[in-house]
Amino acid sequence: MLTIKNVQTLKGFTETITIESDEFRTIDGKGSLLLIPALIDPHVHFRTPGAEHKEDWCSGAVAAIRGGITRVFDMPNNTPACVTPENLQNKINLIDEQLKKAGIPLRYNLYYGADQENLDSLGKVAKNVIGLKIYMGSSTGGLVMNDPETLEKAFRLAGHENVLVAVHAEDEEMLEANKKKHRGNTDPSVHSIIREEKAALKATMQAIDLAEKYGTQLVICHTSTKEELDAIRAAKKRELLVYCEVCTHHLFLNTEDYGRLGSFGTVNPPLRNKIHCDALWEGIRDGTVDFLGTDHAPHTREEKSKSYPETPSGFPGIETMLPLLLNAYHEKKISLEKIVSLTHINIEQIFGLERNQDFVLIDLEMKKEVKATELKTKSRWSPYDGVVLKGWPLYTILKGKVYSCF
């Protein structure tokens, strides 16, 4: 039995909590540490199979635990892509093997990739995946589905099989036109112009229309603009099952950060100006935003150091999400209760996950600098390198076992 005594709860009480465990251990919260449900990250890229030099499930699991996270949803844009039942099973086998090697029984769910040639296989895997991921615009991995007829089929099949659809909502035609217009421009900040706000809105509106037509549950992944939020609000008012995911980098970074990040600042969808960041925070306050994720998408320093547009898009973020949110709590941008809702409760409810006794023990007063060299992700860099944050996880409790976050 695991005993955590003198620990603060969200209700404001100091309590002693017991957790079923093979370990006989007592941790003293000393009346100052806070216990909350462990986080769920619904959007990660652990790069297995095909790009394990960027990340694998050994390094990814350690990084997740360091961030207070005990469950992740991994995306399908692997090599080979997770678009057939065979590839899905091979991926599961690799993951289980790597987690066993790491000695961390990380909870995970997998997205199935939407692919024109293999859409009919969705029924075979429907009960084994968390959802169907559709890339309406190009990103890492090459999975793009922008043909209207194929999109219709994907939403129709998903609705029939009762499989949730998650979309990367950027209009590919607009992206390609903008790339041609800005060809030769090597300033990384042009990335936010090429992948303009209108491209995100157009794809989001198209996805919402299809979800309404076929009664499909829909997640708009990494929502990044005010206009997308407005469209999602309108869909919710029509009582459509449309959910809004926001990623932490769109809350804490903006286009001004290109000045210090350079090519390291590229991500899809791109960094937006502060007006959109403010709108996302308002979306959190009014309940339009359903949950947060990291879109943890690691690349090596060497890869990110390439000149634009050769540099790949994506940030590592799984170890910094909770400290960033706790620091925002101290800045009075968000409540602790809202953090728990956005990183655990809402995700559990929307995706129908079983409850568990995973927790994270937090020191709200700890101040610590983000140091890229101390990160456990293979990429060993962070867009928040050098930033001092207040509020850090100390211990993560997964399946009754205690893991140190340092």
Side-chain angles (χ1 to χ4, degrees), residues 333-390:
K333 290 182 177 179
I334 190 171
S335 68
L336 293 173
E337 291 80 6
K338 180 68 82 169
I339 291 173
V340 172
S341 293
L342 293 172
T343 63
H344 183 95
I345 295 173
N346 292 357
I347 302 170
E348 200 173 63
Q349 293 175 346
I350 290 168
F351 292 91
L353 303 175
E354 292 185 2
R355 292 185 178 180
N356 57 53
Q357 280 198 307
D358 293 352
F359 295 95
V360 56
L361 192 60
I362 292 165
D363 185 343
L364 281 174
E365 300 304 313
M366 176 183 282
K367 288 185 179 180
K368 187 175 180 294
E369 180 182 336
V370 177
K371 294 183 178 180
T373 55
E374 295 178 355
L375 297 177
K376 296 303 180 182
T377 175
K378 281 188 178 183
S379 60
R380 301 297 289 274
W381 68 273
S382 168
Y384 312 105
D385 190 29
V387 175
V388 176
L389 301 173
K390 184 179 181 180

Side-chain angles (χ1 to χ4, degrees), residues 66 366 368 374 376 392-395 403-406:
R66 285 277 296 262
M366 176 183 282
K368 187 175 180 294
E374 295 178 355
K376 296 303 180 182
W392 286 80
L394 295 184
Y395 298 101
Y403 299 84
S404 174
C405 296
F406 293 99

Side-chain angles (χ1 to χ4, degrees), residues 136 155 167 169 202-212 218 220:
M136 300 174 73
F155 274 82
V167 295
K202 182 178 179 182
T204 294
M205 292 296 295
Q206 184 180 14
I208 290 172
D209 289 344
L210 289 171
E212 183 172 23
L218 173 65
I220 306 297

Side-chain angles (χ1 to χ4, degrees), residues 207-228:
I208 290 172
D209 289 344
L210 289 171
E212 183 172 23
K213 183 176 182 178
Y214 293 108
T216 312
Q217 293 185 73
L218 173 65
V219 170
I220 306 297
C221 293
H222 38 49
T223 305
S224 63
T225 70
K226 179 183 183 299
E227 291 77 14
E228 287 173 279

Side-chain angles (χ1 to χ4, degrees), residues 21 36 76 84 113 141 206 216 246 261 282 393 395:
S21 174
I36 66 170
T84 68
Q206 184 180 14
T216 312
V246 166
L261 293 174
E282 180 58 33
Y395 298 101

